Amino acid sequence: MIKVAIVGASGYTGVELIRILHAHPEVAVTCVTSEQSAGRPVSDVFPTLRGRCDLVLQNLEPVGIAEQADVVFTALPHKAAMAVVPTFLKMGKDVVDLSADYRLHDADVYGKWYEKHLTPELLPQAVYGIPELRRDTIREANLIANPGCYPTSVILGLAPLLKGKVIDPKSIIVDAKSGTSGAGRSAKVDNLYCEVNEGFKAYGVGGVHRHIPEIEQELALLAGTPLTISFTPHLVPMDRGILSTIYSVPTGKVRASELITLYETFYEGEPFVRVLPEGVLPSTAHVRGSNFCDIGIVVDERTGRIIVVSAIDNLVKGASGQAVQNMNLMCGLPETLGLDFLGIFP
C-alpha cells in the first residue's frame, strides 16, 4: 500500500482527497494535517467521514509528516506550500501540490501575480499536471503542480483548436462560472449565504484574476506563440461545478461536425474527457462529483465564431480528482484507479 499524507486536510480539496482515496485500493491515508483543527479527529470537522476516516489532525511539521508517507498532497494556500514542499522532496517523497506555488514556470511572473517566490530553484522540476497533455512527463516527475480549476476547464476546452492551429490565438475570450466551493472554506463575507443565494455576479474583472497567467502559459505552449486572453469569472449560487464558455475566431471556414471529429480524435482513449455529440452541450449537473470534463462545440454561423463549452466539478477534475490521477501516474498505477466513479445526479 502507498502511504499518503494530506497536508491541509480541513479544506474542501482536503476532504475531497480523503473521500476519493478512501476507496482507492492501493492507498492508505496515514496522516492528515490542519493548523486550525489540530488534535481533533478529521471526522469531527467533516462528519461525512465518521467511521471511515477518524485520523487525528496533526500540526504541520514537515519532517514528521514525511516519515509517515510515501506521497504527500499539499492542499494549502499559495506561499504556505512552498514553505514545506522542499523538505518533502529532500526526504525523497513524491509531492502533488494543489496550490499555485509551482504552476508558473517563471518566478518573476509568479511575483507579479502573487508575491516573491521562495524556492524558484524548484520551478524547473515541477511538472504542470494535465494528464491528457503531459502524461509521460508526469510519470517521471517527483513534483506535480496540480492545475487550477478554471485553467483545467479552459485548457482542455481549447487544446485541440490551438494544437491544430484552427483558431487565431489572439481571439480567445473566456466567460467562466464557478460554484462557491471554489473560493475555499474560510469565512468571507462575500461567500455568506445571503450574499450568494439568488445572486449571480462577475468578479476579478479586467484581467486581474490570478488564474490568467497560468491559463496563458499553457495555452501559449499549445499554440506555439505567446498569447493574451480575456477572462471573466463569475460566482454562481451552487456548491460545486465550473462551466466555461470559450469564444474564438477560426482561421478558416469550419463546421461543427468537423470540429467534433477533431476533438474526438484528439481525446481518443482519454478516460475522463467526454466530447459531446453535435447539438448537445454540457451541464455542471452531469459532472458533479466525478472526474469527467464534458465538452460541447458549436459554430455560430452568424458571427463565424467557435464556441466551446466545458464543464467540470471544480473539486474533482478541477482539484482533488486530477491530483489523484497525477499520483496514479507518478506511482506507476492505472490512471483511473480510485477515480472511475460516476457523477451524482440529481
Side-chain angles (χ1 to χ4, degrees):
M1 298 288 280
I2 297 167
K3 294 183 291 183
V4 165
I6 300 171
V7 177
S10 59
Y12 291 136
T13 56
V15 70
E16 195 72 355
L17 280 167
I18 296 172
R19 180 181 76 87
I20 294 168
L21 292 173
H22 173 71
H24 197 296
E26 297 294 333
V27 164
V29 177
T30 55
C31 174
V32 290
T33 82
S34 169
E35 294 295 279
Q36 294 181 331
S37 301
R40 297 174 61 192
V42 69
S43 54
D44 278 3
V45 179
F46 294 110
T48 55
L49 305 177
R50 193 172 290 143
R52 293 296 181 267
C53 182
D54 298 305
L55 290 170
V56 174
L57 290 158
Q58 303 178 29
N59 283 310
L60 179 47
E61 201 288 296
V63 172
I65 293 164
E67 289 173 346
Q68 301 175 64
D70 305 307
V71 177
V72 180
F73 291 93
T74 48
L76 297 169
H78 75 273
K79 189 178 180 181
M82 72 175 102
V84 296
V85 165
T87 299
F88 297 139
L89 294 175
K90 286 177 184 176
M91 295 186 68
K93 308 306 173 183
D94 288 336
V95 177
V96 181
D97 178 35
L98 284 80
S99 82
D101 284 352
Y102 296 98
R103 294 174 187 163
L104 299 176
H105 302 160
D106 188 327
D108 290 336
V109 175
Y110 181 91
K112 177 182 176 182
W113 289 85
Y114 294 90
E115 53 195 287
K116 182 179 174 62
H117 206 289
L118 303 178
T119 56
E121 68 279 3
L122 293 180
L123 294 177
Q125 76 182 72
V127 174
Y128 190 78
I130 290 269
E132 291 78 10
L133 304 177
R134 302 268 168 75
R135 186 168 282 111
D136 292 340
T137 312
I138 292 167
R139 286 192 177 104
E140 304 301 321
N142 63 351
L143 172 58
I144 296 297
N146 208 64
C149 49
Y150 283 127
T152 296
S153 68
V154 176
I155 294 164
L156 291 176
L158 282 174
L161 296 178
L162 289 171
K163 199 74 174 173
K165 302 192 183 303
V166 177
I167 60 172
D168 176 359
K170 297 179 181 179
S171 69
I172 297 168
I173 299 172
V174 180
D175 181 352
K177 301 93 177 169
S178 174
T180 57
S181 59
R185 197 168 186 242
S186 59
K188 302 171 188 173
V189 171
D190 285 349
N191 296 337
L192 294 174
Y193 179 82
C194 289
E195 304 291 328
V196 175
N197 185 48
E198 297 185 15
F200 177 46
K201 65 181 180 180
Y203 69 99
V205 181
V208 298
H209 194 280
R210 283 173 165 173
H211 280 172
I212 289 174
E214 179 184 342
I215 296 170
E216 291 180 344
Q217 169 186 278
E218 296 304 310
L219 296 186
L221 291 172
L222 289 163
T225 184
L227 52 76
T228 301
I229 68 168
S230 292
F231 175 78
T232 303
H234 299 75
L235 187 65
V236 181
M238 62 184 184
D239 292 340
R240 55 166 83 201
I242 281 179
L243 190 81
S244 291
T245 306
I246 310 164
Y247 306 87
S248 61
V249 176
T251 54
K253 184 70 174 176
V254 293
R255 292 186 298 179
S257 58
E258 296 170 340
L259 294 178
I260 289 169
T261 299
L262 171 70
Y263 273 70
E264 288 174 340
T265 301
F266 190 92
Y267 287 122
E268 185 177 3
E270 290 296 343
F272 297 118
V273 178
R274 302 189 294 198
V275 179
L276 304 185
E278 187 171 358
V280 179
L281 294 174
S283 166
T284 57
H286 301 154
V287 296
R288 179 182 173 92
S290 80
N291 200 49
F292 291 114
C293 174
D294 284 0
I295 299 173
I297 307 105
V298 173
V299 175
D300 185 333
E301 299 293 346
R302 191 176 63 86
T303 64
R305 293 188 184 96
I306 297 171
I307 303 171
V308 177
V309 183
S310 172
I312 63 171
D313 185 316
N314 59 295
L315 295 179
V316 190
K317 186 58 173 170
S320 302
Q322 187 152 248
V324 173
Q325 194 177 349
N326 282 318
M327 180 207 71
N328 284 340
L329 290 168
M330 295 170 81
C331 295
L333 299 172
E335 189 172 335
T336 60
L337 205 60
L339 291 168
D340 204 13
F341 42 80
L342 299 177
I344 302 166
F345 185 86

